[in-house]
Amino acid sequence: MSEEPPVRRARHLMDPSKPRPPVRQEDIQRLERVQKWVLSILIVTTILHLSVGVGLAAQYVEEDAVVAGVGLSVLAGAFGIIAVASGLAIHKRSIASPWLLLGVVPGLVSLYLVLR
């Protein structure tokens, strides 16, 4: 009787004779940390884009409707605060933080340009 040669599988296929190594806890923690940072960066930049967009919209309000421009500037500041607060919440940090002042910047810049 002749022996058959072992079956050669492509490298990308699972080989039942060689199971995958067990997943280590530190690898899971590292992956979760990276996922948390990616999520927070995506959320904060998306909401900040909204904030800057509302601030830019305030610049195109008619000259005689300054109140509307001020209102849009306040909204831009509120969305900036929401962006920073969401980033802090994702990382489970206290939302009552001096970092929230950074979220007011788009609103203040927009307000300055509207009232100038």
Side-chain angles (χ1 to χ4, degrees), residues 31-64:
L31 177 65
E32 287 174 353
R33 188 170 49 243
V34 169
Q35 287 175 337
K36 190 181 291 187
W37 273 103
V38 169
L39 177 67
S40 67
I41 288 171
L42 286 173
I43 287 178
V44 169
T45 56
T46 300
I47 299 173
L48 279 179
H49 274 90
L50 174 65
S51 176
V52 170
V54 171
L56 285 174
Q59 309 311 307
Y60 292 100
V61 173
E62 297 292 328
E63 298 261 343
D64 56 344

